[in-house]
Amino acid sequence: MSTINRRTRISRRTAMTLAGASVVAAVAATAPSMANAVSDSPGGTRHSVARTQNAESASTAPNLRVKGAGGVTYQYRRFGHPRAGSVPLVFLQHFRGTLDSWDPELVDTIAAKREVILVDNAGVGGSTGSTASTVQQTALDAIDFIDALKLPRYDVFGFSLGGEVAQEVALRRPWQVRRVVLAATGPQGGVDQRASDPAILQRTLKDNPGPEDYLFLFFKNTAASQAAGTEFLQRLGQRTTDHDAPSTLATRDRQLTAWSEWGIPDKSKFVRLHALFQPTLVADGESDILMPAKNSHLLAKYLPDAQLHIYPDAGHGFLYQYAVAFGTEVNTFLDR
């Protein structure tokens, strides 16, 4: 598959973001005070984070840090508009992605109705520690972060590799996870999850991927999808300060190992999904070349309480192509 030939003018900062993981993402508004949470100021000093009434945007939310029981210091952003009776939504990121890789339009759409928390897992971006090489350990690291924030109840949003992690978090903490959103992901042991196409692998594993690689991997080879992808890449440049650190090549290799192991075909693993009883929204683009949409159909088939939405003329990055529409769908689902 070749991408549409179109001129994509993306800033150097955005290109660097895509190469490892730097972009827009969060907001820290009306966030409750948290033990051990600190914010990095431009001068490198730290101060305790207190409850605030000033809503940030995805482009301005500060980077916060909290230390987990295992010794890892996690970098995250926390913001939005929490309402009475609502719970925070924890975002879990894709392969090689960081806080800066989230689409600000998607995140802000969701944050308009609830509190959102975006995190660099262990060894990723601005977080310390080593990146796990299994999905299961990655989920335990995510739980370590959540425990550090002392969240008694929460929803989880997992994109791609993050969706695999979200499944494990929900299975391991059923008394805490209320609802689950799974975007462009699949069940353990699913179908065609281990990329074997040389063109896909070459772009996925580049030391320094560029905008054209992102458009190829995340958006369908049509004029409309490629145009939406270009608009998404331009939105990533909205954040001008307090950028996250890019992912390292060591993180790339460990996450690829985790992703590959998860994707070893094994239908016997599907029975585990029966234990993920929380209401779950499953969604993908109909032409996803990284995690084929038939895996979303498998999730919808085996999860006890799932609803499925496959977006047309879209690929792995459907949630960025339909940022407002999907963000609105997520809010509607979580508000039920």
Side-chain angles (χ1 to χ4, degrees):
M1 176 185 292
S2 61
T3 54
I4 294 283
N5 182 21
R6 54 185 300 112
R7 298 182 63 184
T8 306
R9 297 179 179 175
I10 307 297
S11 70
R12 176 173 175 78
R13 161 61 65 177
T14 300
M16 292 176 66
T17 290
L18 299 174
S22 276
V23 138
V24 188
V27 203
T30 58
S33 58
M34 300 157 255
N36 301 321
V38 295
S39 173
D40 290 344
S41 69
T45 59
R46 295 179 175 184
H47 57 273
S48 296
V49 177
R51 180 183 298 271
T52 175
Q53 297 302 317
N54 298 318
E56 299 281 354
S57 73
S59 303
T60 62
N63 293 329
L64 309 174
R65 291 180 179 170
V66 66
K67 190 171 184 178
V72 173
T73 297
Y74 298 92
Q75 182 157 283
Y76 68 103
R77 296 173 187 159
R78 185 171 184 171
F79 63 96
H81 297 79
R83 296 178 294 175
S86 67
V87 300
L89 176 62
V90 179
F91 282 67
L92 301 172
Q93 186 57 288
H94 65 74
F95 172 66
R96 300 183 76 173
T98 69
L99 299 177
D100 283 350
S101 303
W102 291 107
D103 184 349
E105 188 168 50
L106 170 70
V107 173
D108 283 348
T109 297
I110 297 173
K113 299 291 186 180
R114 67 197 65 257
E115 183 179 32
V116 247
I117 301 172
L118 302 94
V119 60
D120 282 335
N121 213 327
V124 178
S127 294
T128 66
S130 297
T131 305
S133 57
T134 66
V135 170
Q136 290 75 15
Q137 183 57 53
T138 305
L140 292 175
D141 291 338
I143 289 171
D144 182 49
F145 163 72
I146 291 166
D147 286 349
L149 293 186
K150 297 179 170 55
L151 301 180
R153 190 83 164 149
Y154 50 90
D155 297 324
V156 289
F157 180 120
F159 174 28
S160 192
L161 175 61
E164 299 167 4
V165 177
Q167 293 171 56
E168 290 297 309
V169 171
L171 286 167
R172 292 166 186 266
R173 289 294 180 91
W175 66 93
Q176 289 184 327
V177 176
R178 189 186 69 103
R179 285 179 175 248
V180 181
V181 178
L182 299 177
T185 191
Q188 184 176 12
V191 182
D192 295 337
Q193 294 183 14
R194 295 155 58 86
S196 57
D197 185 318
I200 296 175
L201 278 175
Q202 187 266 338
R203 291 176 183 269
T204 301
L205 299 180
K206 272 188 181 181
D207 288 357
N208 295 292
E212 65 282 354
D213 300 305
Y214 210 93
L215 289 172
F216 176 88
L217 293 169
F218 276 60
F219 297 89
K220 189 176 180 180
N221 185 29
T222 64
S225 186
Q226 290 289 301
T230 299
E231 292 173 0
F232 158 66
L233 293 178
Q234 291 169 343
R235 291 196 295 271
L236 294 187
Q238 291 176 6
R239 190 177 185 91
T240 58
T241 60
D242 209 13
H243 290 286
D244 198 2
S247 289
T248 65
L249 297 183
T251 287
R252 176 200 65 186
D253 295 344
R254 286 176 171 269
Q255 287 186 338
L256 184 62
T257 299
W259 193 3
S260 298
E261 180 188 43
W262 180 269
I264 296 172
D266 186 351
K267 293 182 179 180
S268 70
K269 300 291 187 183
F270 297 168
V271 70
R272 300 178 74 244
L273 295 173
H274 295 316
L276 203 166
F277 59 80
Q278 297 94 328
T280 303
L281 171 62
V282 180
D284 199 359
E286 48 94 7
S287 296
D288 189 339
I289 62 174
L290 289 174
M291 180 65 71
K294 48 192 166 184
N295 287 286
S296 289
H297 285 277
L298 285 172
L299 287 170
K301 177 180 179 180
Y302 287 97
L303 289 169
D305 188 3
Q307 64 182 67
L308 176 66
H309 188 171
I310 302 298
Y311 282 77
D313 192 30
H316 197 62
F318 81 93
L319 65 172
Y320 300 154
Q321 180 170 339
Y322 294 94
V324 173
F326 185 58
T328 300
E329 181 178 15
V330 168
N331 279 334
T332 300
F333 168 73
L334 295 178
D335 284 341
R336 287 176 183 163

